[in-house]
Amino acid sequence: MIRFEDVSVVYDGAAKPAIRGVDLTVPEGELALLVGPSGVGKSTLLNAVCGLVPHFTGGTLRGRVTVDGRDTRTHPPRELADAVGTVGQDPLAHFVTDTVEDELAYGMESLGLPRDTMRRRVEETLDLLGLTELRDRPIASLSGGQQQRVAIGSVLTPHPRVLVLDEPTSALDPAAAEEVLAVLQRLVHDLGTTVLLAEHRLERVVQYADQVIVLPSPGAAPTAGAPADMMAV
Ligand code: ADP
Ligand code: ADP
């Protein structure tokens, strides 16, 4: 579960908060969609979930953010690595190894898991994401949709309860975007993962959402509701 209680973030030197008065809850096993125009604070909000805000970006966070029961103020990103996985727009920015299989294993390396557990989790994740045939391929040789599935796989092998994605389909063609969204839906339904997804193409993803959170303008409090209600606004 993700919870924000009256959260505001002010970056150093900024005149106004990037987000202000944010209260929201994404219950365990739900997919929440975060929408709003550029510059309203979507990335700030997502970065507050994984603790990058405020531990790495500077600035001040007021209020409280808890992820899977852990307060991000007292748990910096390295202590949240097994609780929350993060994927951005550009999968290439994410990769640290050459092949699909190595990339899936890499995310677990700092967790001190036994070898056979790591091996099993790589197999499970290859299977879950439909990547088994591609396991030995250089990542650079894959399509955009395949690369984005590898990026998601690499953050899944630590078995995070929460997954945060910042416009993961924005660089993809419609078919590849559908591949990625189908994977997210499977994660929520089959594994009970909690997903927070920022997107600007609402029509593409709203059918998958349990909740839509709208950031209307910079520094304004978000409104949240069921997809059907939010579409009517
Ligand atoms: P969005 O993702 O909706 O485009 P952001 O969260 O990236 O919005 O940005 C919200 C505001 O915070 C913008 O005015 C942006 O310039 C500012 N901002 C974002 N990151 C930083 C940072 N690390 N330091 C200072 N200002 C930032
Ligand atoms: P191990 O540490 O040996 O892998 P776990 O109990 O952590 O054992 O994982 C096994 C269970 O985790 C299986 O029931 C499987 O369905 C589930 N699982 C697989 N992938 C994930 C995931 N990404 N997040 C959470 N649970 C997962």
Side-chain angles (χ1 to χ4, degrees):
M1 183 172 94
I2 302 168
R3 174 165 284 164
F4 280 58
E5 294 164 82
D6 196 17
V7 173
S8 300
V9 173
V10 183
Y11 289 111
D12 298 340
K16 291 194 285 182
I19 56 174
R20 187 191 340 230
V22 176
D23 280 296
L24 62 87
T25 301
V26 186
E28 177 93 20
E30 286 199 4
L31 191 154
L33 184 60
L34 177 63
V35 296
S38 183
V40 290
K42 297 187 297 298
S43 301
T44 298
L45 198 155
L46 297 182
N47 286 337
V49 176
C50 59
L52 284 176
V53 171
H55 293 285
F56 284 94
T57 50
T60 306
L61 182 142
R62 292 190 203 289
R64 194 211 310 257
V65 179
T66 45
V67 182
D68 205 25
R70 288 179 237 183
D71 188 329
T72 62
R73 193 185 308 281
T74 47
H75 292 81
R78 77 189 140 74
E79 289 179 27
L80 293 172
D82 61 332
V84 45
T86 313
V87 173
Q89 292 179 21
D90 177 9
L92 287 175
H94 180 102
F95 298 129
V96 286
T97 70
D98 294 329
T99 69
V100 172
E101 187 167 346
D102 287 350
E103 192 64 33
L104 297 198
Y106 179 81
M108 289 180 286
E109 254 157 37
S110 61
L111 299 179
L113 296 168
R115 285 260 139 227
D116 60 336
T117 301
M118 288 177 55
R119 225 172 280 132
R120 181 159 29 79
R121 288 190 182 190
V122 168
E123 297 302 328
E124 279 172 5
T125 308
L126 287 168
D127 186 44
L128 178 73
L129 300 189
L131 293 168
T132 305
E133 309 277 290
L134 303 175
R135 63 190 305 154
D136 297 320
R137 286 273 294 275
I139 293 168
S141 73
L142 304 179
S143 71
Q146 290 167 336
Q147 288 180 350
Q148 197 56 293
R149 277 187 285 150
V150 175
I152 292 170
S154 71
V155 301
L156 284 182
T157 47
H159 284 187
R161 298 308 300 147
V162 171
L163 190 59
V164 170
L165 304 105
D166 196 352
E167 304 198 347
T169 68
S170 66
L172 304 179
D173 62 47
E178 287 302 327
E179 270 174 41
V180 168
L181 293 169
V183 160
L184 296 182
Q185 207 186 15
R186 210 173 315 140
L187 283 175
V188 170
H189 288 156
D190 297 356
L191 297 174
T193 308
T194 306
V195 175
L196 180 58
L197 174 65
E199 269 294 343
H200 61 274
R201 275 168 293 195
L202 188 59
E203 71 284 359
R204 189 186 272 173
V205 285
V206 73
Q207 59 177 314
Y208 298 102
D210 296 297
Q211 178 184 181
V212 178
I213 300 162
V214 180
L215 281 172
S217 57
T223 50
D229 301 337
M230 300 310 284
M231 290 303 275
V233 173

